[in-house]
Structures are given as C-alpha cells and as structure tokens.
Amino acid sequence: MKMFLNIKLSKIFINLLIFLFFTLCSFLVCEIIIRNTLIFEKFGFQSPLSLKERIEKHTKLDQFNNKNIIIIGDSNVEYMRGSKHNFLEIAEKSLENNFNIKLLNFGFGGAGIKDYILIFKKLNQEEIQFKDVFFFIDNHNDYFDYYYYIKNDLTGSEMSDEKVFDKLDFSIKKFLKKSVFINAIYRNILKRYFKIGYGKSLDNNINHLKKIFNVDENLIRKRLEKIPQNYVKLSKADIISSWWLSFALTLPEMKLLDHFGYKEKKEEVSIAIANDINTINSMCGQFNKNCHLFFLPDQVTLNKKYHKLYESLNFELNDNMSSINYHEKLIADLLKNEKIKVNSLFLTFLDKNDIYIDLDTHLNFYGNKILSKYIENYIINSVH
C-alpha cells in the first residue's frame, strides 16, 4: 500500500513538473511573440537601467568609439530603450552599419532640463568617448517643472538629484515588470475587466496634484463628469494615461497658458529656464562638445485631431494655439548667436495622424519611425 502511494505521488510530481515545463515554455513563446510584434503598445513596461548601469555598459562596449553620440531626454527618448521600436535603435541600425556611429540612450522617464544638466555633467566625468550630444526638450511638460519648483519655493539642489537615476533596489514588482507578457495581462485584462488595482493610479495622481496646488475636490468632481467615460475607464486602467487625466482634472488651464508663458510666476519661470539653458551652453564649451537641441512639439499644436482629444480631457484650449511654444521661442532666441544648434521638430510631425499612444503624449511605434528618419538624416547631413 505504501509503495503504491509512493508511485502515485511520484506520478503526480512528474505530471506537475511536465505541466510547469510546458507552462514555462508557453510563457516564453508568448513573451517572445509579444515583444517582437505590435499586438499592443508596450511603452511603460520596459525595465530601465540606472544612470550608473548605463555608464558601465557603454564604458565596456563603446569606450573607444569616438563616433558615439550621447542622447539625453525624458521618457520620449527612453521609450522602449534597447528594442527595435525605439527611434534611436531604428536610426542606429543604419548609422552603425554605414558610419560606425553609435547612439547612446540616456533618456529617463520623468526627467527635465535640470536633470539633463546633471546627466551631461556626469557623463563628462566618465571614460565614454563622445563629441556630440543631443538634448531633447519636451514642450509638453519640461517647462511645467519650473512652475512647480518656483511655486513651491524649492531650491536648486532639491530640483535634481543623481540618486534618482541610480536606484538599484530590487523588488518582486520591478522584476515582474520586465515581462511584457505579464504586464499585458495585468494592464489589458486583470486591471481593466477584473478591477485589480483599478483606478488606484488615477486617485494617487489626483491626490498628489490636489495637495500641491490646493485644487478644490468639488471642482475636480465637476470636471470629471464632463469627460467621456471611455477616456475615464482607460485612465483608471492604465498607469500612464492616468497621469494626463489627473493633470486635466486639476490644472486644465495649463495647456493654454503653456503657449503664452505661465500666468502665475511667468517672469521667474522664464529666468529659471534661461539660467539652465545658459548652463548647458557653458558646459558645451567647457567640455568641448558639439551640442544640439531638439524641441519635441506638444501634439495639441499639430492638428485638430489631437486638439479635440485635449478638449475631451477638459483642457481649456482655443483655435489660436501657436505652433511655436512660448518657452521654445524663448530658448531659441537665447541661443541664436551661440554654437548650440537648435532644431524644432514641429514641421516633422505636422498633420501626421495616429503617431501617438492613445490618450497619451508619447509617440507610438509609427511616430518613432518618423523621428528616427529625421535623426538619421540630420546626423548624416549635419554631424557626420
């Protein structure tokens, strides 16, 4: 009897191992398929390397290549870093084969101009060789940082911290985020239909902004009632979209004022931006680097389709939105007699449809392809 029981348990154990093996194989197959296709938008699920890790990686691989080009920016640059869907990876494929040019991605989600200064300074202290550096400024939200810092009387040292880019702490959540397949299930099935974690990101973002800017909760509730329910549902189910909706609910006037400078603290914001741009300009000369500045347009200026999207989100817009962002013009005028090359990407994206992630300000794969072609041609004609 005991022997029979042992045999039965052995069979169960073997069957369990077989089941686990085929489950793991199925998971790996799904992971490979979803990573290499456009079944769904994968942005937000990449596992970013810290600044320290990226420096170590490129020091080993690209230390002696004097044709390296450093690319600094926010999540628009970091987007799916290391995959064939990122505009730098697409452009680099041709540039490396034909000219031995490597594009080193130092984009970090949530970074701003003050962070770009910190990253640039750090890179010049390392052994990576490079002559050119591209700074990508996001007209959608890079200037808002200054309004926030000045309004809350934060000092320069509190604005940017190298430690933010060098966090190496481990957690199960971060480990699981490396799997695109798991995140696809969580984002598109568990969260949206089974309501696991549903609305948490939106609530957290609203509460965060509400406390900073003292926005009345009843006003937020009234604005929420005006927004189409399909947008609200998507925002509650998606961690990225929840940020833009929370911004629309708490500060809907910001999209309009951004194009004329901020109504409040306008002079202080302009002076702070100018000071940081002058710092970048000085560093370019100090480190003997060729610096290039690119302005990523806010899609509300590009065409009526994106304009209507923002109106649906309750941003207060009008038909006279300028194609040139107020702060972009401020920076361009400041640098017109300097060596830094200033480039607006407005015309590159003008009247292009379906180039953004739904209910988001980030370019999707097709938008990244358009940007990659521009960057490739720019490098061949202006850098190489």
Side-chain angles (χ1 to χ4, degrees):
M1 181 73 179
K2 188 175 181 180
M3 184 180 293
F4 173 77
L5 186 60
N6 287 337
I7 293 172
K8 190 173 182 180
L9 288 173
S10 296
K11 285 184 177 180
I12 293 173
F13 181 71
I14 291 170
N15 287 333
L16 180 61
L17 287 177
I18 293 172
F19 171 76
L20 291 174
F21 173 77
F22 280 106
T23 300
L24 180 61
C25 288
S26 300
F27 168 79
L28 291 174
V29 169
C30 291
E31 183 77 18
I32 292 170
I33 291 173
I34 206 166
R35 277 181 181 271
N36 291 280
T37 60
L38 294 175
I39 293 176
F40 90 109
E41 177 53 58
K42 291 175 279 293
F43 176 70
F45 299 135
Q46 72 271 34
S47 179
L49 292 176
S50 68
L51 177 58
K52 182 178 179 181
E53 287 174 314
R54 294 191 207 185
I55 288 173
E56 289 175 351
K57 172 189 171 184
H58 292 304
T59 299
K60 289 178 182 177
L61 298 178
D62 309 300
Q63 180 179 353
F64 304 109
N65 184 357
N66 59 10
K67 292 186 176 182
N68 291 328
I69 297 177
I70 298 292
I71 316 293
I72 297 175
D74 61 5
S75 50
N76 290 283
V77 171
E78 184 182 40
Y79 173 95
M80 294 309 295
R81 179 191 50 75
S83 82
K84 63 182 181 181
H85 297 183
N86 179 280
F87 75 93
L88 297 179
E89 306 289 335
I90 300 170
E92 186 184 68
K93 189 174 181 180
S94 170
L95 292 168
E96 186 176 12
N97 290 337
N98 296 320
F99 308 105
N100 194 31
I101 293 174
K102 295 291 293 291
L103 307 180
L104 310 188
N105 190 328
F106 283 91
F108 290 88
I113 297 173
K114 286 190 173 292
D115 303 307
Y116 306 159
I117 293 172
L118 184 149
I119 295 167
F120 186 35
K121 181 178 179 181
K122 179 68 175 175
L123 288 171
N124 281 284
Q125 297 169 350
E126 302 297 328
E127 296 179 355
I128 302 173
Q129 289 194 35
F130 64 97
K131 189 63 180 172
D132 290 83
V133 56
F134 290 7
F135 294 91
F136 280 82
I137 294 181
D138 181 5
N139 280 350
H140 170 73
N141 61 0
D142 272 2
Y143 314 117
F144 172 73
D145 294 345
Y146 291 93
Y147 177 74
Y148 164 69
Y149 292 133
I150 291 171
K151 186 175 175 67
N152 291 277
D153 296 320
L154 295 179
T155 64
S157 61
E158 291 173 296
M159 290 189 186
S160 186
D161 188 344
E162 186 178 325
K163 294 177 183 177
V164 172
F165 304 111
D166 277 335
K167 288 184 177 179
L168 299 172
D169 53 313
F170 174 82
S171 69
I172 296 297
K173 182 179 179 181
K174 288 182 179 179
F175 176 76
L176 293 176
K177 282 185 74 174
K178 292 182 180 180
S179 167
V180 177
F181 181 51
I182 289 177
N183 279 283
I185 294 174
Y186 175 67
R187 178 181 181 182
N188 295 295
I189 299 175
L190 296 180
K191 198 169 187 180
R192 191 167 297 185
Y193 299 106
F194 292 91
K195 309 302 181 186
I196 298 175
Y198 183 73
K200 186 178 179 182
S201 298
L202 181 62
D203 292 339
N204 288 342
N205 285 327
I206 289 175
N207 289 331
H208 175 67
L209 291 171
K210 185 175 68 176
K211 287 177 182 177
I212 293 173
F213 296 103
N214 299 318
V215 183
D216 182 74
E217 195 159 339
N218 291 325
L219 188 59
I220 293 175
R221 194 177 298 112
K222 288 179 181 178
R223 289 171 179 165
L224 185 61
E225 291 172 357
K226 297 178 182 178
I227 294 173
Q229 280 302 301
N230 60 318
Y231 285 161
V232 176
K233 288 178 180 177
L234 178 60
S235 296
K236 286 187 174 182
D238 184 86
I239 191 170
I240 304 169
S241 300
S242 67
W243 168 248
W244 310 122
L245 179 57
S246 64
F247 199 85
L249 291 170
T250 52
L251 297 164
E253 76 281 1
M254 293 301 291
K255 264 289 157 244
L256 174 62
L257 298 178
D258 187 55
H259 292 76
F260 303 99
Y262 296 131
K263 188 174 183 178
E264 187 179 349
K265 308 285 186 182
K266 179 176 180 177
E267 186 175 349
E268 292 97 321
V269 169
S270 298
I271 291 172
I273 291 172
N275 287 339
D276 281 348
I277 295 301
N278 282 327
T279 298
I280 291 176
N281 186 36
S282 297
M283 290 172 70
C284 295
Q286 177 188 346
F287 298 128
N288 193 28
K289 305 298 182 185
N290 300 321
C291 292
H292 311 254
L293 210 60
F294 299 86
F295 291 99
L296 287 164
D298 184 342
Q299 69 266 47
V300 74
T301 66
L302 294 176
N303 59 38
K304 288 295 181 182
K305 175 184 176 181
Y306 299 115
H307 197 135
K308 289 176 181 177
L309 170 64
Y310 275 87
E311 285 181 330
S312 297
L313 284 174
N314 205 37
F315 282 109
E316 296 174 5
L317 307 175
N318 61 31
D319 291 324
N320 299 315
M321 297 299 283
S322 170
S323 61
I324 300 299
N325 182 285
Y326 171 85
H327 301 99
E328 175 181 337
K329 186 176 185 305
L330 177 77
I331 295 171
D333 288 344
L334 189 67
L335 296 174
K336 64 183 178 183
N337 296 320
E338 302 296 335
K339 290 184 178 180
I340 296 182
K341 294 182 179 179
V342 178
N343 306 276
S344 175
L345 295 169
F346 175 75
L347 293 178
T348 303
F349 295 112
L350 183 62
D351 293 328
K352 301 289 192 307
N353 289 310
D354 300 318
I355 59 173
Y356 289 96
I357 300 171
D358 189 29
L359 195 56
D360 204 313
T361 63
H362 297 93
L363 295 168
N364 59 23
F365 173 62
Y366 301 107
N368 270 264
K369 285 185 71 174
I370 293 170
L371 183 53
S372 73
K373 195 64 183 174
Y374 174 91
I375 291 300
E376 182 181 344
N377 290 334
Y378 178 84
I379 290 173
I380 291 173
N381 296 322
S382 304
V383 178
H384 174 65

